[in-house]
Amino acid sequence: MNTYYLLVSRILLSQLFLIAGIGKISGYAATQGYMQAFGVPGMLLPLVILLEVGGGLALLVGWQTRWISWALAIFSVVAAAIFHHNFSQQMDMINFMKDFAIAGGLMALAVHGPGAWSFDRRPA
C-alpha cells in the first residue's frame, strides 16, 4: 500500500513544479522582472526553470528521487525566504508556510524513497 502513497505523493508534488516552471517560460519577462525586484539576478531564471521543469519531471517518473527531492526542498525554502518574507501581508505568510510545507513533503519523499513504481526501483 505504501507504494501507492509514494506514487501519489510524487505526482502531486511534481505537478506543482511542472506548472510553475512552464508558467515561468510563458511569462519569462514578467518573472525575470519579479526576481530582479527582490534582488535576484534575472540571469538565474533559466536555471530556475530547468530545476522546476526538469526536477518536476524527474520526480514524476521517480528518477534520482532522493537527490531531486532534497534539491527541490532547499529551493522551496530559499524561495520562501527571498520572496515571501513580508508577514504583514497575509498572502506572503501563507505562501511562506506553503513553501515550507512543500519542503516537508519533499524531505519525507527523500527519506522514504520513490516507491516501487519508479525508474529508481526498476529491475536492473
Side-chain angles (χ1 to χ4, degrees):
M1 185 58 104
N2 260 355
T3 201
Y4 299 113
Y5 295 125
L6 291 169
L7 174 63
V8 170
S9 296
R10 287 195 346 256
I11 291 169
L12 292 174
L13 287 164
S14 68
Q15 60 86 29
L16 185 135
F17 290 100
L18 284 168
I19 291 169
I22 291 167
K24 285 175 179 64
I25 294 168
S26 63
Y28 194 92
T31 302
Q32 197 171 43
Y34 181 78
M35 289 171 59
Q36 290 171 336
F38 283 88
V40 178
M43 67 182 188
L44 293 178
L45 184 53
L47 295 175
V48 170
I49 292 170
L50 180 64
L51 178 61
E52 287 185 334
V53 174
L57 287 171
L59 209 58
L60 181 64
V61 299
W63 181 75
Q64 297 295 317
T65 305
R66 292 179 192 265
W67 183 87
I68 200 64
S69 293
W70 282 116
L72 289 170
I74 292 165
F75 172 78
S76 296
V77 169
V78 169
I82 293 171
F83 298 107
H84 306 299
H85 58 271
N86 184 2
F87 295 147
S88 66
Q89 297 292 319
Q90 185 178 13
M91 285 309 300
D92 258 3
M93 185 170 56
I94 289 169
N95 282 324
F96 183 88
M97 292 185 298
K98 173 192 58 85
D99 285 348
F100 268 76
I102 291 165
L106 288 162
M107 289 188 299
L109 195 55
V111 168
H112 291 287
W117 295 338
S118 67
F119 277 92
D120 289 344
R121 297 277 172 89
R122 71 186 181 280

